[in-house]
């Protein structure tokens, strides 16, 4: 059988790829099918054909998998946010465990993997404390909010994502109604015109405080006081601001924030540590699972009150301050200056005096402090971006020879790559703990404990 574009075939889905797509074979030819799950028998149309594999669009589910469930969100298939909401939660957790294991075996070369059962959620909905809704114009000319369809910048209207807090819908209804009433135009990306680009909403799960930040393509928002008066009536509203972003870019937030009403931040509490969170702050989006993750980091760090700890890629100091209560001294490093300002504020807010923070690249700050100032480490905690650690960071960590390394990762592939380097050096991989920070998506957080040989 010849496989080419528009060929229609029937196949059984026997595996799932890294991005949650179903995988099946017809006469030895592999097809990747978005929205199909393991156990489905499906009819598909080939959209792109390579020599030994291709990509197909799901036409019909002929026989559903026993692990298939009805997505709670009506637009789950169209929206690019939840790739595996049609898979039962138990099966999602199994998929993520195997994703971590597969990367460690294939990329890291590990054979005996000390993989712990994944930490899942009791209720895997309404867990996100942050949402960024793009604003556009519907076919009827009215403003709409929602999410981008997968791999596009077409907005799927959706004001009540089931992963976000319920207050999101009320906030968006106020903003969209205001825009329609006063003729405030939505941003048009292709032309670089219009005003309102995105709406950023944050919520403090412990404090119940709400933040609304409108990202605008201009310096001012007409009739801003009218919008403020309407938004501040929503229970919990604590901060309303504008973020100025006039650049022709896909980056959501600009550098400048102007407070319209309330505080320039909201507060939240994790295990007794209080944090101030501004519109530009990095703060984990799932506070329930963040607590589990940080408790595990504290356990793996094995602190007794005297250790020197480095926290690399520290953000607003969330892990640093979590560790400071049981360490002798904590040093945090982060490249984003506003994040370090937040980290220092958060240390003062909690009366923490044994945490010090540096602005700069981890691959530059760590080697300099080690070689020029002889600042060593008993424990190093790293929580890098998706691309993993810079080679200079890994090299310096091996030279510093801390007793323990705690590696927190949002990408199993780069985690496996970095662990291979560390374990070919002086370290042994002692624990691998996946944590489901992002239910219904393919993303998985992993925390690892490495001990010096």
């Amino acid at each position: 059988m010849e496989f080419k574009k528009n060929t229609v075939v029937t196949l059984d889905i026997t595996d799932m790829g890294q991005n949650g797509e179903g995988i099946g074979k017809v006469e030895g030819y592999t097809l990747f099918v978005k929205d199909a799950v393991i156990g489905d028998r499906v009819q598909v149309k080939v959209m792109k054909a390579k020599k030994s594999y291709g990509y197909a669009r799901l036409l019909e589910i002929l026989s559903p998998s026993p692990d298939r469930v009805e997505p709670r969100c009506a637009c789950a298939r169209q929206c690019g946010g939840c790739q595996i909401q049609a898979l039962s939660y138990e099966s999602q957790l199994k998929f993520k465990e195997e994703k971590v294991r597969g990367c460690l075996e294939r990329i890291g070369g590990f054979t005996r993997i000390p993989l712990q059962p994944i930490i899942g959620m009791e209720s895997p909905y309404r867990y996100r404390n942050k949402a960024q809704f793009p604003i556009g114009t519907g076919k009827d000319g009215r403003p709409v909010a929602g999410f981008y369809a997968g791999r596009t910048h077409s907005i799927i209207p959706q004001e009540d994502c089931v992963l976000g807090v319920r207050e999101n819908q009320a906030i968006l209804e106020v903003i969209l109604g205001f825009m329609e009433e006063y003729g405030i135009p939505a941003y048009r990306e292709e032309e670089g015109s219009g005003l309102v680009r995105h709406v950023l909403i944050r919520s403090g799960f412990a404090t119940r405080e709400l933040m609304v930040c409108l990202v605008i393509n201009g310096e001012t928002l007409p009739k801003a006081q009218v919008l403020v008066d309407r938004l501040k009536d929503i229970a919990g509203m604590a901060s309303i601001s504008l973020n100025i972003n006039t650049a022709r870019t896909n980056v959501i937030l600009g550098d400048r924030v102007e407070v319209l009403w309330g505080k320039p931040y909201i507060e939240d509490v994790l295990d007794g540590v209080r944090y101030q969170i501004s519109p530009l702050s990095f703060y984990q989006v799932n506070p329930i699972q963040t607590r589990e993750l940080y408790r595990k980091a504290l356990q793996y760090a094995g602190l007794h009150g005297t250790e020197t700890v480095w926290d690399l890629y520290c953000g607003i100091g969330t892990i640093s301050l979590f560790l400071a209560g049981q360490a002798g001294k904590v040093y945090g490093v982060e490249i984003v200056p506003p994040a370090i300002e937040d980290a220092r504020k958060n240390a003062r807010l909690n009366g923490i005096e044994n945490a010090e923070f540096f602005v700069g690249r981890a691959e530059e700050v760590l080697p300099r402090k080690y070689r020029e100032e002889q600042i060593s480490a008993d424990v190093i905690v790293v929580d890098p971006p998706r691309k993993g650690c810079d080679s200079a960071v890994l090299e310096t960590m091996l030279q510093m020879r801390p007793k323990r390394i705690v590696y927190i990762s949002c990408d199993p592939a780069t985690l496996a790559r970095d662990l291979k380097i560390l374990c070919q050096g002086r370290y042994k991989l002692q624990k691998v703990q996946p944590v489901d920070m992002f239910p219904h998506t393919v993303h998985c957080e992993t925390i690892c404990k490495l001990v010096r040989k």
Side-chain angles (χ1 to χ4, degrees):
M1 181 177 182
E2 183 182 359
F3 292 92
K4 56 184 180 180
K5 187 174 180 179
N6 295 327
T7 301
V8 175
V9 296
T10 297
L11 75 159
D12 294 312
I13 303 298
T14 57
D15 199 358
M16 286 176 67
Q18 295 285 307
N19 297 313
E21 67 276 39
I23 302 174
K25 290 189 176 185
V26 180
E27 298 180 6
Y29 188 81
T30 300
L31 285 171
F32 294 86
V33 186
K34 181 181 175 295
D35 303 314
V37 303
I38 294 176
D40 280 344
R41 183 169 180 78
V42 294
Q43 186 179 66
V44 304
K45 178 189 282 190
V46 177
M47 305 305 294
K48 184 184 292 186
K50 303 283 187 177
K51 185 176 181 181
S52 57
Y53 68 94
Y55 299 91
R57 180 164 62 89
L58 177 64
L59 296 178
E60 184 181 357
I61 301 169
L62 303 175
S63 175
S65 165
D67 296 324
R68 176 176 281 279
V69 297
E70 186 65 30
R72 189 176 293 190
C73 177
C75 62
R77 185 173 172 184
Q78 300 164 281
C79 173
C82 293
Q83 302 90 359
I84 54 175
Q85 199 179 131
L87 193 62
S88 72
Y89 189 54
E90 182 182 352
S91 298
Q92 289 183 31
L93 295 178
K94 183 180 177 182
F95 163 72
K96 293 181 183 186
E97 265 189 27
E98 292 307 312
K99 182 176 181 177
V100 172
R101 186 195 306 277
C103 286
L104 290 174
E105 288 176 345
R106 189 179 67 257
I107 301 170
F110 293 93
T111 52
R112 294 182 178 180
I113 300 171
L115 187 65
Q116 312 301 301
I118 189 170
I119 298 174
M121 296 192 72
E122 186 176 334
S123 177
Y125 295 95
R126 304 291 180 191
Y127 63 82
R128 287 188 64 96
N129 60 16
K130 175 186 175 184
Q132 296 178 140
F133 293 90
I135 304 297
T137 305
K139 294 178 181 177
D140 59 1
R142 301 174 66 186
V144 296
F147 298 100
Y148 293 126
R151 301 185 185 87
T152 77
H153 270 218
S154 299
I155 297 175
I156 304 297
Q158 172 61 284
E159 297 168 26
D160 185 28
C161 170
V162 296
L163 305 190
V165 297
R166 296 185 186 279
E167 291 86 350
N168 288 346
Q169 185 173 17
I171 290 168
L172 290 174
E173 286 175 355
V174 168
I175 293 171
L176 295 176
F178 162 79
M179 290 177 63
E180 187 172 1
E181 182 177 347
Y182 290 99
I184 308 295
Y187 183 66
R188 289 182 289 277
E189 187 177 16
E190 63 280 0
E191 301 168 12
S193 61
L195 187 62
V196 182
R197 302 174 72 133
H198 279 78
V199 174
L200 165 66
I201 304 173
R202 288 186 183 269
S203 59
F205 271 40
T207 62
R208 309 312 302 170
E209 290 187 339
L210 292 171
M211 168 190 287
V212 174
C213 180
L214 272 71
V215 184
I216 61 171
N217 178 43
E219 296 293 325
T220 58
L221 177 70
K223 301 288 185 181
Q225 190 57 47
V226 175
L227 179 62
V228 166
D229 290 341
R230 294 177 185 180
L231 286 174
K232 70 182 184 182
D233 287 339
I234 296 173
M237 190 62 62
S239 175
I240 303 172
S241 62
L242 297 176
N243 176 266
I244 313 303
N245 183 2
T246 57
R248 295 289 296 269
T249 175
N250 290 336
V251 177
I252 294 174
L253 294 171
D255 295 329
R256 185 152 56 94
V257 176
E258 293 187 4
V259 176
L260 295 178
W261 177 85
K263 303 181 294 186
Y265 56 82
I266 59 171
E267 296 188 6
D268 206 3
V269 182
L270 273 176
D271 266 11
V273 181
R274 184 171 287 271
Y275 300 96
Q276 291 182 352
I277 308 151
S278 70
L280 299 176
S281 295
F282 171 80
Y283 187 68
Q284 292 280 11
V285 300
N286 185 336
I288 298 166
Q289 293 297 83
T290 297
R291 185 177 62 240
E292 299 297 324
L293 183 75
Y294 289 2
R295 285 176 177 175
K296 193 62 68 174
L298 195 58
Q299 177 189 333
Y300 285 1
L303 303 177
H304 298 93
T306 59
E307 292 86 356
T308 298
V309 181
W310 278 88
D311 178 15
L312 308 181
Y313 314 95
C314 70
I316 65 169
T318 44
I319 298 179
S320 304
L321 303 185
F322 220 70
L323 299 171
Q326 297 188 31
K329 180 76 174 183
V330 176
Y331 296 100
V333 183
E334 172 59 55
I335 193 173
V336 181
I340 289 296
E341 290 174 23
D342 285 341
R344 290 169 179 157
K345 287 178 188 174
N346 288 327
R348 290 193 296 270
L349 183 67
N350 290 277
I352 293 172
E353 298 179 352
N354 62 331
E356 188 175 348
F357 297 96
F358 305 109
V359 176
R361 298 178 183 275
E363 58 268 26
E364 295 172 359
V365 174
L366 187 68
R368 184 173 69 249
K369 293 292 180 181
Y370 174 58
R371 290 166 189 151
E372 296 178 10
E373 301 180 30
Q374 287 76 52
I375 300 178
S376 60
D378 298 300
V379 177
I380 294 179
V381 178
V382 292
D383 187 3
R386 193 166 296 280
K387 65 180 182 179
C389 290
D390 186 274
S391 58
V393 170
L394 297 173
E395 182 183 332
T396 305
M397 286 165 63
L398 289 170
Q399 291 172 359
M400 293 175 78
R401 302 183 70 241
K403 296 172 185 175
R404 289 172 294 283
I405 296 172
V406 180
Y407 194 129
I408 300 170
S409 169
C410 58
D411 188 306
T414 56
L415 170 68
R417 179 202 68 199
D418 291 352
L419 291 183
K420 182 177 183 179
I421 294 169
L422 293 170
C423 291
Q424 284 175 345
R426 301 181 174 93
Y427 288 86
K428 177 184 178 182
L429 182 58
Q430 195 172 81
K431 291 282 178 66
V432 178
Q433 176 66 72
V435 179
D436 189 24
M437 295 283 283
F438 313 103
H440 308 295
T441 78
V442 296
H443 305 297
C444 183
E445 204 87 357
T446 312
I447 180 167
C448 299
K449 178 183 179 181
L450 294 93
V451 294
R452 192 175 66 205
K453 293 178 184 175

